[in-house]
Amino acid sequence: MTKVIVSNQKHPLDTYLRTDRLPHIWCPGCGIGAVLHAFLRALLDSGVDLKKVALVSGIGCTGRVAGYVRLDSFHTTHGRALPFATGLKIANPELKLVVFSGDGDLIAIGGNHFIHAARRNIDMTVICVNNFNYGMTGGQLGPTTPLTGRTTTTMRGNIEEPFNIPYLAAAAGAVYIARWTTAHIHSLEHSIGEALAKKGFSLVEAISPCPTYYGRMNKQPTGLDQIRYFRYNSIVRHGIDPRLVGIEANGQIVVGKFVDIERPYIPGATGSGNGRTT
Amino acid sequence: MTEKPKNEIKLIIERCKGCRFCVEFCPQHILYQSDEVNSKGYRIVDVADISKCDQCNTCSMVCPEFAINVVSIEAKPVKDGEVVCLSQDT
Ligand code: SF4
Ligand code: SF4
Ligand code: SF4
């Protein structure tokens, strides 16, 4: 039948990407690029002035995002994306702050910053790409590796209880928390849009394949195997208690919008203070 | 059968890494991985029957490589409020 393939074309999002650096370094079947795609579309749809957006990343595979976007971006030291972003926001409350980083960077190395940024309710959007391990350094065990999940440092299976990121964020005080996988790309885009519009510390957890390490170690050797697992083993539960959304190795993944509340945030509407209007 | 296609699938061949996410998620099942390889050795995707494409944009959204996108041949915006820089495609 009719076949229309045109090569050497530009992508509609090329205007917002540093195309001289593409194709990017992420492995075939890695989902980080898809999360970035969803984020860029949500950002453009949100109508935010792109000159007032600052994107901050830490270290790791996801940390490379800062180097691919044609926005003001900041590639910071390991685990410190949140304090850099907090500083930017406090110094210039006009900015729309987005922190785009991985689970290792945000929850392990930067775990302390994560809980305190959520506690203070700093007005920023955090996109946490969770691939269940440290991809860039060789697939080691991370604090989000599910129980019994195999990694290059836990060949017989993980014996540590992992963090449940939405529960951690909710306990620390985040005002918006959603989780999707790269198999729910339209919902992911929608949630990132909602998070961008939210005042206060908003978190979107994006579960992504890492076929090179986590998938290969856990009988899902390609990105396609992992994304099929996400697609057929996820269940949407909006508003469920985040306590109940922990992930087991190759088990069911609960996705949806879990938390959407209001709380005084920093910096407030006047550019300082705590966001209380009285 | 010989209906004129309304859409075009644009693939930036050198960006495709052959992950087949677009093949998996296309609701019309019209994409497939061909035997053609790009300069990096990845098997690129191709379209079987473009006339069935309903421009849902899912292939573009799931593609981690910014490699594939769909445009209307009449060069109309896909839907209200959607950011499609058609002028880029000249
Ligand atoms: S190591 Fe894993 S997370 Fe890193 S680019 Fe490769 S697949 Fe993606
Ligand atoms: S736009 Fe939708 S129907 Fe058309 S090829 Fe892409 S995924 Fe398939
Ligand atoms: S999703 Fe993108 S990179 Fe993967 S096969 Fe399709 S066009 Fe190629």
Side-chain angles (χ1 to χ4, degrees):
Chain A
M1 290 285 291
T2 334
K3 192 166 95 176
V4 186
I5 285 265
V6 188
S7 64
N8 302 325
Q9 291 290 332
K10 280 193 171 180
H11 190 276
L13 289 172
D14 274 3
T15 325
Y16 312 99
L17 290 166
R18 298 187 201 177
T19 41
D20 49 323
R21 295 175 143 218
L22 294 179
H24 52 59
I25 59 146
W26 297 312
C27 309
C30 177
I32 298 172
V35 182
L36 176 58
H37 191 148
F39 161 69
L40 284 175
R41 283 177 50 112
L43 182 71
L44 296 173
D45 277 351
S46 73
V48 177
D49 180 2
L50 297 186
K51 290 209 164 52
K52 294 218 170 109
V53 176
L55 187 143
V56 186
S57 286
I59 300 297
C61 291
T62 317
R64 303 297 290 243
V65 163
Y68 292 122
V69 290
R70 215 186 281 272
L71 295 168
D72 284 336
S73 59
F74 200 179
H75 194 189
T76 68
T77 48
H78 205 358
R80 314 296 172 229
L82 285 164
F84 278 90
T86 304
L88 282 171
K89 182 73 187 176
I90 301 296
N92 188 353
E94 298 268 280
L95 289 180
K96 181 89 221 161
L97 256 296
V98 180
V99 174
F100 204 127
S101 214
D103 54 311
D105 185 73
L106 283 170
I107 310 298
I109 293 90
N112 212 2
H113 300 302
F114 182 81
I115 55 175
H116 290 289
R119 172 184 63 82
R120 290 169 173 149
N121 203 16
I122 312 277
D123 183 18
M124 60 170 74
T125 297
V126 179
I127 299 167
C128 176
V129 178
N130 181 0
N131 56 14
F132 304 126
N133 72 153
Y134 292 106
M136 182 168 274
T137 49
Q140 293 88 351
L141 175 87
T144 49
T145 308
L147 213 54
T148 75
R150 292 174 70 227
T151 67
T152 47
T153 50
T154 51
M155 298 293 283
R156 294 185 194 155
N158 173 25
I159 54 165
E160 300 171 9
E161 189 71 36
F163 266 139
N164 167 352
I165 299 177
Y167 184 31
L168 176 70
V175 291
Y176 181 95
I177 302 168
R179 173 202 275 162
W180 297 100
T181 76
T182 50
H184 305 90
I185 206 76
H186 294 290
S187 307
L188 179 67
E189 180 192 344
H190 179 76
S191 276
I192 294 175
E194 283 189 343
L196 287 168
K198 188 84 186 169
K199 285 288 184 192
F201 188 92
S202 51
L203 170 79
V204 179
E205 179 186 1
I207 294 177
S208 158
C210 174
T212 307
Y213 291 108
Y214 191 77
R216 192 163 53 86
M217 299 291 294
N218 291 281
K219 301 199 176 91
Q220 292 166 353
T222 66
L224 197 59
D225 293 328
Q226 279 199 284
I227 210 164
R228 277 188 185 143
Y229 154 60
F230 298 157
R231 187 179 189 186
Y232 298 115
N233 291 281
S234 298
I235 179 162
V236 182
R237 284 278 181 274
H238 293 299
I240 194 178
D241 185 346
R243 209 183 300 235
L244 308 173
V245 302
I247 299 172
E248 285 166 21
N250 296 344
Q252 197 176 54
I253 299 174
V254 183
V255 294
K257 177 168 86 173
F258 306 138
V259 173
D260 192 354
I261 54 169
E262 300 295 333
R263 208 160 70 79
Y265 55 91
I266 295 174
T270 53
S272 60
N274 61 5
R276 282 181 223 272
T277 44
T278 49
Chain B
M1 283 295 274
T2 49
E3 201 186 326
K4 200 165 169 282
K6 293 186 279 309
N7 309 323
E8 234 176 28
I9 300 294
K10 298 199 169 179
L11 181 74
I12 303 172
I13 290 173
E14 291 308 316
R15 283 191 197 167
C16 177
K17 288 185 187 163
C19 68
R20 290 180 286 155
F21 287 176
C22 53
V23 177
E24 171 82 9
F25 282 88
C26 171
Q28 303 292 344
H29 307 288
I30 54 173
L31 301 173
Y32 68 99
Q33 190 168 37
S34 70
D35 290 333
E36 217 178 307
V37 290
N38 63 16
S39 70
K40 296 217 167 77
Y42 293 117
R43 282 173 60 196
I44 58 170
V45 290
D46 208 336
V47 191
D49 182 0
I50 186 68
S51 64
K52 288 207 182 112
C53 173
D54 60 8
Q55 246 193 38
C56 67
N57 214 25
T58 305
C59 51
S60 173
M61 287 295 292
V62 292
C63 176
E65 308 295 329
F66 301 92
I68 194 166
N69 72 300
V70 52
V71 292
S72 159
I73 285 176
E74 294 94 50
K76 273 194 285 214
V78 179
K79 68 178 191 256
D80 253 352
E82 189 158 316
V83 183
V84 180
C85 305
L86 290 166
S87 56
Q88 293 277 318
D89 292 314
T90 47

